[in-house]
Amino acid sequence: MLRLVPFLAILVLVGPVAAGLAGAALPAFGYLPALGGTAFSLDPFRAVFAAPGIWTSIGLSLGVGLTSTAIAFLAVVLFVAGWQATRVFTVLTQMLSPLLAMPHAAAAFGLAFLIAPSGWLVRLASPWATGIARPPDLLIVNDPLGLAIVAGLALKEIPFLFLMTLAALPQTDARRLTEVTASFGYGRTAGWIVAVLPRLYPQIRLPIFAVIAFASSVVDVALILGPTTPAPLAVRLVTWMNDPDLAMRFQASAGALVQLATTACALLIWIAGERFLGRLAGPHLASGRRHANDGPLRAASAGVMVLVVIAVALGIVVLAVWSFAGYWRFPDALPGATTLANWARQVPGIFGPLETTVVIGIAATVIALALSLGALENEKRRGRVAGSRALTLLYLPLIVPQIAFLFGLQVLFIAAGLDATGAALVLSHLVFVMPYVFLSLADPWRAFDERYATVAKGLGSSPTGIFWRVRLPMLIPAVLTAAAVGFAVSVGQYLPTLLIGAGRWPTVTTEAVALAAGGDRRVIGVYALLQMVLPFLGFAVATLVPLLLFSRRRGLAA
Amino acid sequence: MTERSASGLVLENVRISLKGRILVDLSLGVAPGRVATVMGPSGSGKSTLLAYVGGFLEPAFTAEGTVLLNGTDITRLAAHRRHVGILFQDDLLFPHLSVAGNLAFALPERVRGRAARRQRVEDALIEIGLEAHGERDPATLSGGQRARVALMRVLLSEPHALLLDEPFSKLDATLRAQIRDLVFAKARERELPVLLVTHDPADAEAAGNHVVSLSSP
């Protein structure tokens, strides 16, 4: 039984992606008998490229994906390089970590409420500093260049890449390496980049690719912050997919493949950049320049991190304020009246989406946990660790753009009569929950002191007994954290819920994003806040339960 | 030097290698209640030998040879069916269980009934001078107390042999002699053959100088 679990896990990761891509590829070339497409043709692609402004859309997807990732990468590298093993580093680590739990949509709404012309920042500065009494007529949110969406994505990518870097750091011997470079007279930042980054980079490369893929194909954040005329490619695809004219399915499928190519293109550009910088680095290293005066650079890198924390925190506050706001005149800094009416109005309709969000999230998380635990336990018993090739599979659903295979998967589910069923929806969430659950569980599980199991064997415990009575209880904190991560990922899912759920399974997230176009900040505040609270509740449970369970077990307190 | 007998622990032509390099090649007999000490530099395969006897050798090693325990061939048995207890240099008390919970974990299923099991645990605690410590968190015990609990835990599982992997090396000097004497006394009392791996010549001396030396790698 246990031997089958790794295959099952791989099937969950690879199956939907492969099936989904196939399900998009056939209609993309005109073949979908159910809709009368029986001959292969390139017409769907012609239709895609005939769409007005399509190249602008593709360019936006590329540009947004690469720019936001580059900004996040640069911010993280400069900060870790300049501040590793300092008190500032410890403090900011504690402040950045929780940001990971924040759903993308909620973070985007928070940012939009801050930076919009009638947003909080302008209000806080008006009229005493700006002298204005009416919102300036500027397109800040949804700007055609995509600056707002780049900022919104970077807000989420920085904490993600930062935590991935933190996880990889212990294996690089960073501390001693930087002590050596410091003794040669290199500045902190330069020494770290010279000595540690080359070792660290291979380990954060897949997460970076995942970020590029996500940012170049994101839908929910683009709907909230992105340009509209035209929108990035992925947003236009969703419109085509939901078009009442079923013939548009062919064009949408071709578009899905164009999205796949666009993301692949973004990845290739990044890889070319890696090569280029790598070649540039050689002569520079040999030059022996020490860059000892990196004070301003270090200050700037810490400043960026503080800005990220402040922006997200203020975003949360402003969402909360709007959700309780009564009459709020521009440019008042705070609403003239607070009220529970916004919440009261939403309550009757909110329970359905809330329940769906929680049930789907728990179901996907429990399955992902069971598969991950089974695969890891199997690995322990066989005495081998899955190689880097298996790790690539884990990242597959994160590197293939969601929209490229979800639409094809939807087509297949419709053909199988499974569309819009709860099971299909859970499966589509599982594809994205599984990698995160496995990744966050694998390190602590593999780091477990195997001598405990050896002792237990000597005491007569069977492998199954050891799993349930020794390994699992001792690793409960790690299991719960992984569960909280998985739940947060599920809560944040927009596209799978929209496409596979066919609109019949509204969640807090799909409802919140659907409200973006309407612009009623009070209602958005309510939904975005709820969307944010759910993952944080998950992490609270994951923190509190071990404290209660092991309140008298100091050996597990660490 | 092999003592052929039906009782005790007997290793016959045990040969363990890693990637074609032979680490261990020996035959050895340990009578009940006696201690055989395996010494040798780091990397000479001392712990590997214990792993082979205990049944938890990593798959990367190749090994042959027979392990007989009281006349029974246990070479192919799963670790948990061998009745071979092990003590490491760390006590490895399960941190999620109380002291009594750790001891009850080891008690054979044969001992039935809540009251009977609790009684056996109580008796065991008295035997090591830790009565009334049953509900304690193992993390709150002193080093010596923890070592005693670890010893009692392995004894409660009713092993037929004991493997000791440098079990005294982390204890301070006074405690080391005390715990060592306790372990050897209990093993003698229960007539257990003991295989001890150590760096410390004093351990070997206290164990009766039945020393097997492994060569450097």
Side-chain angles (χ1 to χ4, degrees):
Chain A
M1 249 313 269
L2 195 60
R3 280 161 197 266
L4 295 180
V5 174
F7 296 104
L8 209 59
I10 288 172
L11 194 69
V12 162
L13 293 170
V14 180
V17 178
L21 286 179
L26 290 177
F29 290 99
Y31 185 82
L32 186 61
L35 290 180
T38 48
F40 286 95
S41 84
L42 288 174
D43 288 346
F45 285 96
R46 287 194 192 101
V48 168
F49 290 109
I54 190 70
W55 287 105
T56 313
S57 294
I58 293 173
L60 273 172
S61 294
L62 265 180
V64 165
L66 286 169
T67 317
S68 65
T69 310
I71 290 174
F73 175 67
L74 207 63
V76 167
V77 163
L78 289 179
F79 176 67
V80 178
W83 296 91
Q84 193 205 339
T86 62
R87 185 175 297 174
V88 171
F89 192 77
T90 316
V91 171
L92 272 168
T93 302
Q94 284 163 357
M95 298 172 88
L96 283 165
S97 305
L99 301 191
L100 203 59
M102 183 104 169
H104 281 90
F109 275 125
L111 185 68
F113 284 18
L114 280 182
I115 63 171
S118 59
W120 219 19
L121 293 183
V122 173
R123 285 173 195 255
L124 288 173
S126 302
W128 57 272
T130 60
I132 53 175
R134 304 165 128 260
D137 191 15
L138 288 171
L139 199 56
I140 298 178
V141 172
N142 311 117
D143 63 300
L145 270 178
L147 298 179
I149 178 177
V150 166
L153 286 169
L155 271 192
K156 277 291 296 171
E157 290 164 2
I158 285 174
F160 176 72
L161 285 182
F162 178 67
L163 290 183
M164 287 293 166
T165 305
L166 272 193
L169 213 47
Q171 296 156 45
T172 58
D173 208 3
R175 195 143 186 184
R176 290 198 306 170
L177 284 175
T178 46
E179 278 165 14
V180 171
T181 56
S183 75
F184 293 157
Y186 280 88
R188 254 178 182 277
T189 311
W192 194 92
I193 289 175
V194 168
V196 183
L197 186 60
R199 286 196 185 195
L200 181 104
Y201 188 76
Q203 297 186 63
I204 57 168
R205 199 165 178 238
L206 283 176
I208 289 176
F209 285 2
V211 168
I212 295 174
F214 180 86
S216 64
S217 65
V218 66
V219 174
D220 52 358
V221 180
L223 282 171
I224 297 163
L225 293 171
T228 49
T229 46
L233 182 60
V235 174
R236 302 187 68 182
L237 290 183
V238 174
T239 323
W240 297 344
M241 289 167 184
N242 289 327
D243 199 291
D245 177 6
L246 289 179
M248 282 295 275
R249 297 278 162 118
F250 292 101
Q251 184 180 334
S253 299
L257 294 194
V258 173
Q259 174 68 62
L260 186 67
T262 304
T263 297
C265 192
L267 290 172
L268 286 176
I269 293 175
W270 184 272
I271 291 170
E274 286 174 354
R275 294 264 162 87
F276 177 70
L277 285 178
R279 199 158 297 168
L280 220 61
H284 190 87
L285 288 183
S287 77
R289 290 177 57 189
R290 298 300 201 254
H291 301 284
N293 297 320
D294 59 356
L297 188 62
R298 291 182 63 209
S301 70
V304 169
M305 288 304 183
V306 171
L307 197 65
V308 167
V309 172
I310 290 179
V312 176
L314 273 185
I316 296 172
V317 174
V318 74
L319 286 174
V321 171
W322 268 111
S323 78
F324 292 107
Y327 180 66
W328 191 353
R329 200 170 51 106
F330 189 90
D332 293 350
L334 286 170
T338 54
T339 171
L340 287 173
N342 307 327
W343 285 86
R345 253 197 310 278
Q346 298 308 320
V347 160
I350 222 163
F351 283 113
L354 202 57
E355 190 189 344
T356 307
T357 313
V358 171
V359 170
I360 299 284
I362 289 177
T365 303
V366 167
I367 298 172
L369 264 186
L371 287 173
S372 301
L373 287 172
L376 287 166
E377 176 68 10
N378 183 63
E379 180 181 293
K380 281 275 184 209
R381 290 194 199 173
R382 310 249 166 278
R384 32 163 201 266
V385 171
S388 57
R389 208 171 298 165
L391 196 67
T392 316
L393 287 183
L394 216 48
Y395 273 94
L396 187 73
L398 308 182
I399 289 179
V400 175
Q402 284 195 343
I403 197 162
F405 68 93
L406 280 176
F407 182 55
L409 201 58
Q410 185 198 25
V411 172
L412 291 181
F413 278 138
I414 291 173
L418 288 171
D419 58 309
T421 59
L425 191 52
V426 170
L427 179 67
S428 72
H429 276 223
L430 183 59
V431 179
F432 305 104
V433 170
M434 176 77 195
Y436 287 103
V437 168
F438 188 92
L439 286 172
S440 67
L441 198 54
D443 277 343
W445 200 268
R446 286 174 183 155
F448 181 79
D449 187 345
E450 211 36 33
R451 294 177 308 164
Y452 281 108
T454 305
V455 165
K457 278 180 206 164
L459 299 176
S461 259
S462 67
T464 311
I466 291 169
F467 174 80
W468 290 107
R469 295 172 62 201
V470 178
R471 214 172 272 148
L472 194 59
M474 281 178 68
L475 286 165
I476 277 288
V479 171
L480 289 174
T481 303
V485 170
F487 184 68
V489 169
S490 172
V491 169
Q493 292 301 320
Y494 170 71
L495 210 51
T497 322
L498 187 74
L499 290 180
I500 306 296
R504 267 178 271 170
W505 296 83
T507 63
V508 176
T509 300
T510 57
E511 292 293 89
V513 177
L515 290 166
D520 182 339
R521 290 189 177 166
R522 291 172 180 83
V523 186
I524 293 174
V526 169
Y527 273 89
L529 211 58
L530 266 181
Q531 199 209 1
M532 199 164 52
V533 164
L534 286 177
F536 279 106
L537 278 181
F539 279 96
V541 169
T543 314
L544 289 177
V545 167
L547 284 182
L548 291 175
L549 275 181
F550 302 126
S551 61
R552 296 190 53 233
R553 297 286 174 261
R554 250 178 26 199
L556 282 176
Chain B
M1 63 191 276
T2 307
E3 299 169 35
R4 288 259 168 194
S5 63
S7 58
L9 178 67
V10 177
L11 311 186
E12 283 180 353
N13 307 317
V14 169
R15 178 193 288 237
I16 308 173
S17 49
L18 180 63
K19 292 172 190 154
R21 196 167 59 85
I22 295 173
L23 292 172
V24 176
D25 187 358
L26 58 71
S27 293
L28 174 69
V30 192
R34 303 290 292 275
V35 183
T37 309
V38 182
M39 298 188 74
S42 308
S44 61
K46 302 188 299 289
S47 299
T48 314
L49 177 64
L50 288 197
Y52 185 60
V53 176
F56 44 89
L57 192 65
E58 303 271 340
F61 293 91
T62 47
E64 55 187 87
T66 312
V67 182
L68 295 168
L69 185 51
N70 297 333
T72 313
D73 183 354
I74 60 167
T75 320
R76 311 265 156 242
L77 282 184
H80 65 282
R81 300 189 198 281
R82 293 189 178 202
H83 296 283
V84 174
I86 183 161
L87 286 175
F88 287 104
Q89 55 179 278
D90 296 298
D91 51 73
L92 298 172
L93 295 178
F94 299 129
H96 59 295
L97 300 176
S98 65
V99 170
N102 266 280
L103 295 176
F105 185 99
L107 208 55
E109 283 173 71
R110 253 186 311 100
V111 183
R112 291 192 173 278
R114 187 184 283 237
R117 289 181 73 84
R118 182 174 296 174
Q119 191 55 51
R120 283 287 299 276
V121 169
E122 280 301 316
D123 293 346
L125 284 168
I126 292 167
E127 191 177 337
I128 50 173
L130 286 175
E131 54 268 46
H133 283 64
E135 287 317 305
R136 288 278 289 273
D137 177 357
T140 63
L141 299 186
S142 72
Q145 290 172 327
R146 291 170 62 99
R148 266 146 52 206
V149 176
L151 169 65
M152 204 61 228
R153 182 175 66 169
V154 71
L155 293 176
L156 274 184
S157 74
E158 300 179 5
H160 299 167
L162 269 189
L163 306 176
L164 310 179
D165 193 351
E166 307 201 27
F168 318 119
S169 61
K170 279 199 176 167
L171 300 170
D172 60 51
T174 46
L175 209 51
R176 188 179 307 168
Q178 203 184 336
I179 296 293
R180 183 167 57 207
D181 292 345
L182 182 68
V183 171
F184 292 160
K186 294 289 177 199
R188 236 182 347 261
E189 204 175 288
R190 288 169 167 78
E191 302 208 311
L192 299 176
V194 178
L195 199 55
L196 166 70
V197 159
T198 183
H199 273 116
D200 185 354
D203 287 348
E205 197 177 317
N209 277 325
H210 177 185
V211 177
V212 180
S213 292
L214 294 180
S215 53
S216 38

